[in-house]
């Protein structure tokens, strides 16, 4: 979707507030002002985040520290892009814990009677590295507890193994299935995390599952005892049927986000609660173009615009987004909207002052920023969080015997690029290796004659790490393919293959990785689809016959039309492609190739070819 088409940039205001820039644009139809902020500082001390705290001596200072899309990233780091800045090797739960403490301490220095709430906006778990995945993400629950994150909502990955399994690890109950010995011996303790979810109900009875609540209310007060309340509403994207397997999403209904927020906003206001925070697993992004113009677009903006249409007088003060793994800092109407990238690379820091007389945040008192979680190299003064570090080290030790198993060798001692280093055509070395492995293993088992393989780019979570001695470990492969999806063979016509490849450019967010296929694509004059596929052919250069049927290896997620690829669901399922899940398929492929004397080589990224439309 071209979200920029939803905004009109007729009015652009530039301002400087310390190390903080701002652009405003007026929405064309609804009159809701959208203001984009561009964070330029890595430290709260160099911003306006406290506002004029002395001016609010009689008000109640409140700080919201938020994270999103941690994905069990206990040790994972990456490049964090915030505004125009790039922070190298940012992230990890170990560093995140320290930065949350630093941000709270700075707030408390100036607001000794203030309140800090640490919250998260979904995808705490799922698609996790080995030191979390092999422990059913219980090590991540322990780390969240150590970081004092105690209010959360659901993301799509909380459904990866069924919502019941997620509820189990939040509650700290024993496993109901037999997993590896490391997980079975791991301490199963309550996380203390309160889950709020307003728009997910059971299909069977229309009730919110597991006795979770649509909102959570907290009491705050002034030093002289004047009390008021603040509420947190949890929201999940209603696009769940495209984000997980049928068996995991189908037991529930996903209600419209804006309508649900409006419903509970009204209920809370009737209770006298006007300070309202929404934690929503819905995407958003703030970007700056070459001319310095900043814009904020995405589903979260659309939801807030709809909310203002339903109820222009809503009292949603802060909207903490997730899901799209991008930076955002903006204001839609009077609502501050933020998203802190993903995997602990950054955190939201929102500070405002509640008037105990009106029970609402003082007008214009709420300031929002997103800050990076810097590496030790970039910020040696901030030490690792000792509590979280101990949890991570313990997890590493418990899974070491599994993770460190050597499964094969690479041709060189260079790690393969992953999705954080896609080329301009949305290919990466690890992704192409994954689909090649899936096709090869399906052919090896000879369950069905197979022609091609495709997988969703989001299913390949990391680059393949290669050690200095060229060895590849089980843990490195698992980090690449953590889901354990089953693979199927689906019969598709050449026309259906064209259609599904074109769907990449219709949804604008997801992409496919392909094996034994190549295609040319070019510009498209249709604003709803940026590019169109001109020619699809096999590795020999033979163009696909639109009427011929081909056998394609895909995972069970795509089989059900996941990631906005409904065309896959139109194919005829012929059977399973392999006996193993996709994690073990990659492991076995690396083993087989190495044993045959063929160390793993970097694939050439030449499967998608752009041709200018003359």
């Amino acid at each position: 979707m071209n979200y920029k088409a939803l905004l009109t940039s007729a009015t652009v205001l530039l301002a400087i507030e310390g190390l903080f820039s701002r652009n405003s644009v007026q929405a064309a139809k609804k009159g809701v002002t959208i203001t984009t902020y561009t964070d330029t500082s890595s430290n709260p001390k160099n911003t306006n985040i406290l506002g004029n705290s002395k001016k609010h001596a009689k008000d109640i200072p409140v700080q919201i520290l938020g994270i999103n899309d941690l994905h069990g990233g206990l040790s994972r780091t990456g490049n964090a892009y915030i505004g125009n800045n790039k922070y190298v090797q940012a992230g990890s739960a170990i560093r995140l814990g320290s930065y949350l403490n630093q941000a709270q301490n700075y707030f408390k220095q100036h607001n000794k009677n203030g309140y800090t709430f640490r919250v998260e906006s979904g995808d705490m778990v799922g698609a996790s590295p080995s030191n979390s995945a092999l422990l059913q993400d219980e090590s991540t629950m322990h780390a969240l507890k150590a970081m004092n994150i105690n209010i959360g909502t659901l993301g799509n990955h909380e459904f990866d193994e069924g919502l019941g399994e997620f509820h189990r690890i939040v509650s700290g109950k024993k496993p109901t299935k037999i997993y590896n010995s490391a997980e079975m011996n791991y301490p199963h303790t309550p996380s203390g995390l309160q889950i709020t979810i307003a728009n997910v109900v059971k299909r069977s009875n229309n009730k919110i599952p597991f006795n979770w609540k649509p909102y959570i209310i907290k009491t705050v007060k002034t030093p002289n005892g004047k009390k008021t309340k603040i509420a947190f509403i949890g929201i999940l994207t209603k696009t769940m049927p495209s984000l997980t397997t049928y068996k995991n999403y189908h037991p529930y209904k996903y209600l419209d986000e804006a309508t649900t927020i409006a419903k509970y906003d009204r209920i809370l206001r009737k209770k006298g609660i006007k300070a309202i925070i929404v934690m929503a697993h819905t995407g958003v992004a703030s970007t700056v173009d070459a001319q310095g113009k900043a814009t904020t677009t995405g589903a979260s903006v659309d939801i807030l615009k709809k909310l203002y249409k339903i109820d222009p007088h809503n009292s949603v003060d802060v909207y903490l987004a997730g899901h799209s793994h991008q930076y955002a800092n903006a204001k839609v109407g009077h609502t501050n909207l933020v998203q802190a990238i993903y995997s602990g690379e950054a955190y939201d820091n929102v500070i405002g002052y509640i008037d105990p007389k009106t029970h609402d945040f003082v007008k214009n008192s709420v300031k929002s920023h997103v800050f990076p979680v810097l590496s030790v190299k970039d910020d040696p003064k901030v030490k690792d969080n000792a509590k979280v570090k101990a949890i991570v080290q313990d997890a590493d030790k418990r899974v070491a015997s599994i993770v460190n198993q050597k499964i094969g060798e690479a041709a060189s001692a260079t790690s393969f690029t992953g999705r954080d280093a896609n080329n301009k055509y949305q290919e990466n070395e690890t992704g192409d290796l994954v689909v090649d492995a899936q096709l090869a293993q399906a052919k090896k088992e000879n369950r069905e004659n197979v022609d091609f393989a495709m997988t969703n780019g989001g299913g390949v979570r990391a680059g393949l790490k290669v050690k200095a001695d060229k060895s590849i470990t089980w843990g490195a492969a698992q980090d690449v393919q953590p889901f354990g999806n089953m693979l199927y063979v689906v019969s598709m016509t050449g026309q259906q293959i064209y259609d599904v490849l074109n769907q990449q450019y219709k949804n604008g967010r997801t992409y496919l990785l392909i094996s034994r296929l190549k295609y040319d694509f070019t510009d498209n004059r249709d604003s709803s689809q940026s590019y169109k596929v001109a020619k699809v052919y096999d590795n020999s250069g033979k163009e696909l016959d639109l009427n011929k049927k081909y056998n394609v290896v895909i995972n069970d997620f795509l089989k059900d039309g996941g990631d906005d690829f409904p065309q896959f669901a139109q194919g005829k399922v012929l059977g399973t492609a392999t006996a193993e899940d996709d994690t073990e398929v990659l492991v076995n492929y690396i083993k087989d190739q190495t044993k045959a004397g063929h160390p793993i080589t970097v694939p050439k990224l030449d499967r998608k070819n752009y041709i200018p439309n003359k």
Side-chain angles (χ1 to χ4, degrees):
M1 181 179 292
N2 184 3
Y3 290 114
K4 291 185 179 179
L6 299 175
L7 301 178
T8 300
S9 56
T11 305
V12 179
L13 301 175
L14 293 176
I16 300 295
E17 296 178 358
L19 294 176
F20 196 83
S21 65
R22 179 177 68 186
N23 282 354
S24 291
V25 297
Q26 188 72 19
K29 295 182 179 180
K30 307 306 177 186
V32 179
T33 300
I34 302 171
T35 305
T36 296
Y37 303 103
T38 304
D39 285 291
T40 58
S41 176
S42 63
N43 193 313
K45 294 180 180 180
N46 299 327
T47 69
N48 68 336
I49 194 164
L50 292 174
N52 187 350
S53 55
K54 294 181 180 179
K55 176 183 175 182
H56 297 286
K58 296 182 180 180
D59 300 320
I60 304 170
V62 172
Q63 178 186 48
I64 311 295
L65 294 176
I67 64 170
N68 57 274
D69 299 274
L70 183 61
H71 289 294
L74 299 179
S75 309
R76 183 190 284 152
T77 60
N79 296 327
Y81 296 90
I82 298 177
N84 291 322
N85 294 327
K86 174 183 177 181
Y87 301 96
V88 179
Q89 294 301 302
S92 84
I94 296 171
R95 301 288 291 172
L96 174 63
S98 295
Y99 277 90
L100 294 177
N101 288 343
Q102 181 190 63
Q104 182 170 343
N105 290 339
Y106 177 63
F107 169 71
K108 293 290 282 187
Q109 287 172 14
H110 297 269
N111 297 281
K112 64 179 181 179
N113 296 311
Y115 291 81
T116 296
F117 298 96
R118 299 190 183 192
V119 305
E120 67 78 35
S121 297
D123 278 5
M124 296 164 272
V125 300
S128 307
S130 305
N131 58 358
S132 185
L134 287 174
L135 298 171
Q136 289 298 107
D137 286 311
E138 292 197 68
S139 50
T140 293
M141 289 294 110
H142 287 211
L144 290 170
K145 186 174 183 178
M147 287 188 278
N148 297 316
I149 294 174
N150 48 36
I151 302 176
T153 195
L154 301 178
N156 52 290
H157 284 283
E158 271 71 53
F159 291 72
D160 281 354
E161 296 192 46
L163 204 51
E165 174 63 4
F166 174 69
H167 178 250
R168 178 191 73 81
I169 67 171
V170 170
S171 305
K173 297 178 180 178
K174 293 182 179 179
T176 57
K177 293 169 58 177
I178 301 298
Y179 298 101
N180 61 75
S181 60
E183 160 61 8
M184 302 309 291
N185 293 324
Y186 196 71
H188 312 295
T189 58
S191 66
L193 188 68
Q194 292 180 276
I195 300 295
T196 168
I197 185 67
N199 69 326
V200 177
V201 296
K202 291 182 182 178
R203 192 174 293 276
S204 60
N205 59 13
N206 290 319
K207 292 184 178 180
I208 296 172
F210 302 106
N211 202 33
W212 291 328
K213 305 302 179 186
Y215 51 80
I216 291 170
I217 298 173
K218 298 291 184 180
T219 299
V220 294
K221 60 183 179 180
T222 62
N224 62 3
K226 292 183 179 179
K227 296 180 180 181
T228 191
K229 295 178 180 180
I230 183 171
F232 299 83
I233 300 173
I235 293 290
L236 174 63
T237 172
K238 67 180 181 182
T239 64
M240 281 299 292
S242 70
L243 297 172
T244 190
T245 59
Y246 179 86
K247 68 177 182 180
N248 289 336
Y249 78 73
H250 189 258
Y252 309 98
K253 292 192 287 188
Y254 309 92
L255 309 179
D256 182 78
E257 304 98 337
T259 304
T260 303
I261 294 169
K263 170 185 174 180
Y264 288 108
D265 175 78
R266 290 191 183 107
I267 290 172
L268 289 165
R269 279 188 286 161
K270 286 182 179 179
K271 293 176 179 286
I273 301 169
K274 299 178 182 178
I276 299 175
I277 313 297
V278 171
M279 302 171 303
H281 199 70
T282 60
V284 66
S286 293
T287 57
V288 182
D289 66 18
Q291 287 72 45
K293 176 184 171 184
T295 55
T296 298
T297 57
S300 298
V301 174
D302 300 338
I303 291 164
L304 284 170
K305 287 167 67 178
K306 184 175 180 179
L307 171 65
Y308 276 85
K309 181 180 179 181
I310 296 170
D311 184 1
H313 305 292
N314 73 81
S315 195
V316 175
D317 300 287
V318 181
Y319 190 110
L320 301 156
H323 189 46
S324 59
H325 296 188
Q326 294 167 291
Y327 158 75
N329 189 6
K331 184 175 268 191
V332 180
H334 61 256
T335 307
N336 286 72
L337 168 62
V338 287
Q339 181 178 231
I341 318 179
Y342 90 121
S343 198
E345 293 177 356
Y347 65 95
D348 307 313
N349 192 348
V350 183
I351 293 175
Y353 299 86
I354 299 176
D355 184 339
K357 295 180 180 178
T358 65
H359 304 289
D360 202 354
F361 283 100
V362 176
K363 186 177 181 180
N364 297 323
S365 75
V366 179
K367 307 294 182 184
S368 60
H369 286 265
V370 177
F371 297 107
V373 174
L374 298 176
S375 66
V376 174
K377 180 180 179 181
D378 285 348
D379 192 2
K381 292 183 179 180
V382 173
K383 305 302 179 183
D384 291 346
N385 185 290
K387 289 183 179 180
V388 179
K389 188 173 184 177
I391 291 167
V392 175
Q393 289 178 335
D394 175 67
D396 288 340
K397 184 178 180 181
R398 289 174 183 270
V399 302
S401 62
I402 302 172
V403 169
N404 295 330
Q405 295 176 54
K406 178 181 176 180
I407 60 172
E409 291 185 356
S412 68
T414 304
S415 295
F416 290 38
T417 61
R419 65 180 188 160
D420 60 344
N422 280 338
N423 68 6
K424 58 184 177 180
Y425 302 148
Q426 299 297 302
E427 283 190 86
N428 63 75
E429 294 163 355
T430 303
D432 283 1
L433 174 68
V434 164
V435 279
D436 287 349
Q438 292 176 355
L439 184 65
Q441 294 303 102
K443 282 181 172 292
K444 176 186 172 184
E445 294 198 20
N446 199 30
R447 292 178 169 241
E448 298 285 350
N449 293 322
V450 289
D451 300 297
F452 313 120
M454 299 189 199
T455 198
N456 52 307
V460 181
R461 304 301 293 190
L464 181 66
K465 293 181 180 178
V466 179
K467 290 190 170 184
D469 63 355
K470 302 181 183 180
S471 65
I472 301 171
T473 65
W474 186 94
Q478 193 277 339
D479 288 351
V480 169
Q481 286 269 268
F483 293 109
N485 288 325
M486 295 306 297
L487 299 175
Y488 288 83
V489 178
V490 177
S491 175
M492 301 177 70
T493 65
Q495 182 62 62
Q496 288 175 320
I497 291 174
Y498 268 84
D499 291 344
V500 80
L501 292 173
N502 271 305
Q503 282 172 355
Q504 297 174 100
Y505 305 115
K506 288 182 180 178
N507 59 44
R509 181 179 65 84
T510 57
Y511 60 93
L512 292 169
L513 299 161
I514 55 178
S515 180
R516 210 182 168 200
L517 270 178
K518 294 185 179 182
Y519 69 86
D520 300 331
F521 68 105
T522 189
D523 304 288
N524 194 29
R525 294 193 178 119
D526 185 346
S527 61
S528 68
Q529 182 178 329
S530 53
Y531 300 101
K532 63 181 178 181
V533 175
K535 179 182 176 182
V536 184
Y537 44 96
D538 63 22
N539 279 4
S540 68
K542 184 178 180 180
E543 189 170 359
L544 267 61
D545 183 336
L546 297 182
N547 297 311
K548 182 179 177 180
K549 292 183 178 180
Y550 300 90
N551 294 339
V552 186
V553 178
I554 60 175
N555 61 40
D556 51 0
F557 175 50
L558 289 178
K559 177 176 68 70
D560 296 330
D563 249 356
D564 296 320
F565 290 106
Q567 191 62 57
F568 280 122
Q570 303 304 312
K572 180 182 179 181
V573 178
L574 301 179
T576 56
T578 66
E580 299 86 14
D581 61 36
D582 56 6
T583 308
E584 289 304 311
V585 163
L586 180 59
V587 169
N588 290 335
Y589 176 75
I590 294 170
K591 286 180 178 178
D592 290 348
Q593 291 295 103
T594 303
K595 186 176 180 180
H598 305 301
I600 304 301
T601 58
V602 174
K604 186 178 180 181
L605 304 183
D606 62 351
R607 304 177 190 191
K608 304 178 182 182
N609 180 41
Y610 170 69
I611 300 175
N613 192 349
K614 296 181 180 179

